[in-house]
């Protein structure tokens, strides 16, 4: 029988101390936004004391769980088998050495939340409505990055208070892939092998983590079985473990996926940005703010990259109140007002970083900015621990500039003329071009600034000119984004009517992918 293609999800049952050590990389997408924080529930931590841990309210039904998984959970033979054995084994163990910790992975709608419900229904009389079941949703309960330390304290109190009240408590953490990577560390002691902590034993508690991380890799395994004509039911946990290792422990992050799927023709920029941003966000004690300078022709993806970074840090992306974008010609138009601009810019940055240390500042059209203006924010990019009581070390500054486009294009053109693969272009091939255009050009916006003198820009990132094939990819992606069915013929017609250079060869799109949205409106 041929296997049916469908998305899988897997329950990765981690019952060893190694789980705790490897847990942090599970989620590195940071969420900031509005919602109900733990402070609201923290005040009622001990409200359930009157219920106690009455045996009438808790009665594990092993057979009931097995039947429920068999009859209500579809297409998940691997997960059903692992869950049944893990939960039953734990509940039958009168002296467990640590709490049960399950990490559930897969795409939305594959059954992760449903299984949490089935476990609760076969453990507690009132199921998910039981006062012993506690569910947290990252974007609702932990929305504000600036309040992480408060969340940690409140979460610890909540877990401790409820386990004190009932050792057989269950805690479910949904949207783990959207949780701040350091937050869950605060409950690490409760998941470990300690007999008790401050007089409280957590060994009978159950912790369940739900995450979309790993969905793409798990799906690929299922797809490979289908392509080979193998039966879906032949898939074993060991077939999926490597996929989970890639996506969970090594964490192919959502930023990496976004860059891979939405940014075309920029293998150099993608690699540098992914490593730079991820390294910075994973660094709990950075020595300075992250400063990126993006260079290349119009339409090559600089603004898109800023957007992707914002979307993978803040819940509201570019619309977040923590993201601040400046366009030189709009915000700093008058040369005679430079001193006023400097003062206003300093106040704006200081005020917003005071409010949220993880603020992002984007400066567009750096090549049109007065060369001295950006110097006013130099102290905020430097290695100071504090300036007037404010630390800027968690902030992100991104500069966008067309400067360097001609030199970067020349390198790409030379590779093309030599018959060399574009994907073999490396950062070191482009660094001399950036040096010429940024350090020596009066039009770079960074010319003769102290940012350059003090080496405060962490990465100068080149964006290559886009070829016809990249324009096609942009067009197909744009149609999908507009809710249209991608049509190769329509995109091809649109792409052929764009202007390319050099005139003799017509290799690179003059405007990159910048005008594609409007062009497609005409052709569709």
């Amino acid at each position: 029988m041929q296997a049916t293609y469908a998305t899988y999800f897997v329950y990765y049952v981690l019952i060893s101390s190694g789980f705790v050590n490897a847990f942090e990389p599970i989620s590195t997408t940071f969420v900031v936004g509005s919602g109900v924080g733990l402070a609201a529930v923290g005040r009622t931590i001990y409200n359930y004391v009157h219920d106690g841990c009455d045996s009438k309210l808790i009665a594990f039904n092993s057979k009931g769980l097995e039947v429920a998984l068999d009859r209500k959970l579809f297409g998940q033979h691997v997960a059903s088998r692992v869950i049944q054995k893990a939960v039953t084994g734990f509940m039958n163990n009168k002296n467990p050495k640590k709490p049960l910790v399950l990490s559930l992975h897969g795409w939305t709608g594959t059954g992760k939340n449903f299984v949490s419900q089935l476990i609760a229904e076969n453990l507690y009389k009132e199921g998910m409505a039981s006062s012993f079941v506690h569910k947290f949703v990252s974007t609702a309960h932990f929305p504000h990055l600036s309040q992480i330390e408060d969340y940690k304290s409140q979460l610890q109190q909540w877990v401790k208070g409820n386990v004190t009240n009932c050792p057989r408590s269950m805690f479910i953490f949904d949207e783990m892939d959207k949780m701040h990577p350091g937050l869950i560390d605060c409950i690490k002691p409760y998941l470990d092998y300690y007999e008790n902590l401050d007089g409280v034993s957590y060994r009978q508690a159950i912790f369940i983590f739900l995450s979309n991380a790993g969905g793409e890799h798990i799906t690929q395994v299922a797809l490979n079985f289908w392509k080979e004509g193998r039966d879906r039911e032949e898939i074993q946990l060991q077939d999926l473990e490597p996929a989970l290792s890639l996506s969970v422990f090594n964490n192919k992050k959502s930023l990496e996926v976004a860059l891979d799927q939405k940014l075309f023709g920029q293998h150099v920029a993608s690699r540098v940005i992914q490593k730079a941003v991820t390294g910075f966000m994973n660094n709990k004690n950075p020595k300075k703010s992250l400063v990126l300078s993006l260079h290349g022709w119009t339409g090559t993806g600089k603004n898109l990259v800023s957007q992707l970074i914002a979307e993978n840090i803040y819940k509201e992306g570019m619309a977040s109140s923590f993201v601040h974008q400046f366009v030189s010609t709009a915000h700093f138009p008058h040369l005679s007002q430079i001193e006023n601009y400097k003062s206003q810019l300093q106040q704006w940055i200081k005020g917003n970083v005071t409010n949220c240390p993880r603020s992002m500042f984007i400066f567009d059209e750096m090549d049109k900015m007065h060369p001295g203006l950006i110097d006013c924010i130099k102290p905020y990019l430097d290695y100071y621990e504090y300036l007037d009581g404010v630390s800027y070390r968690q902030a992100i500054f991104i500069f966008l500039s067309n400067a360097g486009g001609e030199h970067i294009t020349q390198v790409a053109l030379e590779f093309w003329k030599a018959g060399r693969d574009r994907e073999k272009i490396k950062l070191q091939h482009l660094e001399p071009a950036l040096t010429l255009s940024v350090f020596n050009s009066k039009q770079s916006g960074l010319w003769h600034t102290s940012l350059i003198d003090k080496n405060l820009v962490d990465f100068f990132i080149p964006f290559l000119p886009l070829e016809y094939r990249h324009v096609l990819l942009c067009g197909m992606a744009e149609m999908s984004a507009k809710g249209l069915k991608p049509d190769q013929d329509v995109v091809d017609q649109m792409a052929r009517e764009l202007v390319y250079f050099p005139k003799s060869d017509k290799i690179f799109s003059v405007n990159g992918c910048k005008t594609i949205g409007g062009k497609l409106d005409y052709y569709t």
Side-chain angles (χ1 to χ4, degrees), residues 333-341:
H334 305 297
L335 185 60
S336 60
Q337 297 289 319
I338 288 296
E339 294 306 316
N340 288 337
Y341 295 151

Side-chain angles (χ1 to χ4, degrees), residues 208-228:
I208 302 177
F209 305 116
L210 315 181
S211 174
N212 286 356
E216 62 275 6
H217 293 289
I218 296 167
T219 298
Q220 189 59 51
V221 172
L223 183 59
N224 291 341
F225 267 67
W226 179 82
K227 287 180 177 179
E228 295 169 6

Side-chain angles (χ1 to χ4, degrees), residues 3 43 77 143 180 236 259 307 314 339 376 379 405 452 460 491:
R43 293 189 294 270
H77 66 283
H180 187 283
Q236 303 292 323
L259 290 168
Q307 175 187 326
Y314 308 100
E339 294 306 316
C376 77
I452 298 296
F460 290 94
V491 172

